[in-house]
Amino acid sequence: MKIFKKKSGFTLVEILVVIAIIGLLAGLLVPVVGSAMGKVTKTTTKSKFASWATAIENYKQTYNYYPILVKGQSVGDDQEYNLGDGSTSLNFVKALSGRDPATGDVLSREDLKSFNRKGTSFYEFAQDDFEDSDTSSGQLVDGFGNPNIHIVMDTDGNGRVVIPSQYMPKDATDAEEDANGIMRKVIIFTSSLDGDDYEDIYSWR
């Protein structure tokens, strides 16, 4: 007499239950992982902004003035730049790196005169600093892809920088709201005001 053993395996119901459990776990984990990655990106970007600010201050120590990123611009009150303007971003890269990002070559005589007389390298930009990792464009972005990177320099020389009122942090401190500005020579930031998918990132916090 033959004894037939029941074949081992999963039934359709069991497979569906497993798939449902996996889907539930994924639904719980994805937001957590996404939040953690967002915090890492924010921290990395803040660190990069702080390095840029230091490079700008080193530029000032070398030339006794801050880089002028728009030709013909007068220097008076604290100067604010938005790197979302492609030409301004390109000039910023030239000023801090001493090179043309489109070619990687040293600056032309005209650019040396305008942005970095000695062609000194104050900062080495990485490929992922640029939009779509395209260094030739000279368009810088933050870690979330926001090109509207705001830079404010203490061009009036009082040792303070005024945060533009519309970009004031929601949880601003008394020091940040001081009409005379905060005790910084350079501040760099991006804001959610520039787009729904962007983050508020401040170099001084």
Side-chain angles (χ1 to χ4, degrees):
M1 180 177 178
K2 292 183 178 180
I3 299 176
F4 294 96
K5 293 183 179 179
K6 185 178 180 180
K7 292 182 178 180
S8 60
F10 295 104
T11 66
L12 178 59
V13 173
E14 290 172 330
I15 292 174
L16 291 175
V17 170
V18 170
I19 292 174
I21 292 173
I22 292 174
L24 179 62
L25 291 174
L28 294 173
L29 289 175
V30 167
V32 173
V33 173
S35 176
M37 290 300 294
K39 289 180 180 178
V40 170
T41 300
K42 195 168 185 175
T43 299
T44 301
T45 300
K46 177 183 173 182
S47 176
K48 178 167 62 178
F49 285 176
S51 296
W52 290 2
T54 298
I56 293 171
E57 290 182 32
N58 289 339
Y59 182 107
K60 169 67 163 53
Q61 290 180 356
T62 299
Y63 293 127
N64 294 319
Y65 58 84
Y66 289 104
I68 299 175
L69 306 181
V70 178
K71 293 181 181 180
Q73 181 170 295
S74 60
V75 176
D77 295 335
D78 292 342
Q79 188 58 60
E80 178 188 358
Y81 296 100
N82 182 352
L83 301 189
D85 179 325
S87 61
T88 303
S89 180
L90 177 61
N91 293 342
F92 178 68
V93 174
K94 289 178 179 180
L96 288 196
S97 70
R99 291 187 172 275
D100 187 333
T103 62
D105 297 332
V106 295
L107 297 178
S108 66
R109 182 176 298 179
E110 181 181 354
D111 281 343
L112 284 171
K113 183 179 179 181
S114 299
F115 306 115
N116 189 332
R117 292 200 318 266
K118 301 176 183 178
T120 303
S121 176
F122 297 98
Y123 187 85
E124 291 292 335
F125 292 93
Q127 188 170 356
D128 60 5
D129 289 334
F130 297 88
E131 188 171 43
D132 299 325
S133 297
D134 179 13
T135 59
S136 64
S137 68
Q139 181 60 67
L140 296 168
V141 294
D142 72 1
F144 297 96
N146 186 357
N148 295 296
I149 301 171
H150 303 269
I151 300 176
V152 188
M153 306 175 193
D154 174 33
T155 48
D156 63 6
N158 68 353
R160 290 176 172 271
V161 175
V162 176
I163 304 168
S165 59
Q166 68 271 34
Y167 292 109
M168 186 70 67
K170 296 175 183 177
D171 58 343
T173 63
D174 291 341
E176 289 171 328
E177 292 181 332
D178 190 321
N180 295 316
I182 59 175
M183 295 290 289
R184 292 287 189 283
K185 294 181 180 179
V186 179
I187 62 172
I188 303 176
F189 61 92
T190 52
S191 172
S192 58
L193 289 176
D194 295 319
D196 294 337
D197 295 331
Y198 300 140
E199 295 274 345
D200 296 329
I201 305 174
Y202 306 102
S203 63
W204 66 91
R205 284 187 150 203

